[in-house]
């Protein structure tokens, strides 16, 4: 619990965001589990969360396209986002199934190789758990959409498109988070 709270706090107060947050969680957990096991669990959590975000973006984009008549610019952006989400899910699926060992090719360290091996072993040997984990990740997004729906209902009453709007706003929220994370890395590189 301390590792989680401390990691999130460091991620929120430093410009490195999730990089600092997740690394701190792994380092603070090393008293309980090995560092490579902690890092591999953080990597797996981020992989599963990324898959769920990509699918959330696909669903939200589809809801926007079917629920509204977007302009050509909005349609293009929506199709690009949907394509990126699909390609991202397929890339992660390929990485987990083919296990190409990309990270340890560039970072030649035993701990990196061990963490990478742990990630691939988990994905290969616990396929039933992968579904359960993804279900929990999706429940997070469902809860976020329901929270937005509840707030919209309180603020604007119960309209006929309130759930659709909540889904689209939940998707926009995820996209803003992704954009801000990438913006932090771009600003830090300059």
């Amino acid at each position: 619990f301390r590792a989680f709270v401390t990691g999130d706090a460091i991620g929120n107060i430093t410009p490195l965001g999730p990089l600092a947050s997740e690394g701190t969680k792994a380092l603070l957990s090393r008293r309980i589990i090995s560092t490579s096991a902690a890092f591999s669990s953080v990597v797996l959590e981020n992989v599963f969360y990324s898959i769920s975000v990509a699918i959330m973006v696909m669903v939200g984009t589809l809801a926007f396209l079917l629920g509204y008549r977007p302009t050509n610019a909005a349609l293009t952006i929506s199709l690009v986002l949907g394509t990126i989400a699909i390609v991202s899910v397929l890339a992660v699926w390929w990485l987990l199934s083919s296990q190409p060992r990309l990270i340890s090719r560039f970072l030649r360290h035993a701990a990196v190789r061990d963490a990478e091996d742990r990630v691939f072993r988990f994905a290969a040997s616990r396929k039933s758990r992968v579904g359960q984990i993804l279900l929990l990740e999706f429940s997070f997004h469902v809860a976020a959409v329901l929270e937005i729906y509840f707030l919209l209902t309180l603020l604007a009453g119960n309209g006929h498109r309130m759930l659709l709007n909540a889904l689209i706003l939940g998707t926009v929220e995820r996209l803003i988070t992704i954009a801000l994370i990438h913006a932090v890395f771009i600003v830090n590189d300059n």
Side-chain angles (χ1 to χ4, degrees):
F1 180 74
R2 287 183 194 166
F4 176 79
V5 171
T6 304
D8 271 6
I10 288 182
N12 288 331
I13 62 171
T14 64
L16 294 175
L19 183 63
S21 171
E22 304 305 321
T24 301
K25 290 175 190 175
L27 287 173
L28 291 176
S29 299
R30 69 179 180 206
R31 293 184 195 134
I32 301 167
I33 59 176
S34 71
T35 303
S36 64
F39 274 109
S40 61
S41 69
V42 168
V43 167
L44 278 167
E45 159 58 21
N46 283 303
V47 165
F48 294 132
Y49 179 72
S50 297
I51 290 170
S52 71
V53 167
I55 292 172
M56 173 72 178
V57 168
M58 285 187 294
V59 169
T61 301
L62 186 61
F64 174 70
L65 292 175
L66 296 175
Y68 291 94
R69 293 181 185 181
T71 63
N72 285 339
L75 178 64
T76 302
I77 291 170
S78 297
L79 292 175
V80 167
L81 289 173
T83 303
I84 290 170
I86 291 169
V87 169
S88 299
V89 169
L90 292 174
V92 169
W93 188 268
W94 175 80
L95 286 170
L96 290 177
S97 62
S98 66
Q99 303 180 6
R101 308 284 193 257
L102 294 175
I103 298 171
S104 59
R105 277 189 201 157
F106 298 105
L107 300 174
R108 298 182 187 274
H109 193 279
V112 172
R113 177 67 178 200
D114 184 47
E116 199 172 46
D117 287 341
R118 287 174 184 267
V119 167
F120 290 135
R121 265 196 318 267
F122 180 88
S125 65
R126 295 187 172 96
K127 291 182 180 175
S128 65
R129 293 260 174 122
V130 169
Q132 293 170 344
I133 293 168
L134 286 173
L135 184 63
L136 289 171
E137 295 288 356
F138 292 128
S139 67
F140 166 75
H141 298 296
V142 169
V145 169
L146 290 175
E147 176 186 19
I148 294 168
Y149 174 78
F150 178 70
L151 290 172
L152 286 175
T153 303
L154 287 176
L155 293 171
N158 196 5
H160 69 285
R161 290 185 155 201
M162 208 58 73
L163 189 56
L164 175 68
N165 291 335
L167 178 59
I168 293 168
L169 286 172
T171 302
V172 169
E173 178 186 13
R174 298 290 170 265
L175 291 171
I176 289 170
T177 302
I178 292 167
L180 288 177
I181 289 169
H182 287 30
V184 166
F185 287 120
I186 291 169
V187 168
N188 285 336
D189 284 344
N190 293 330

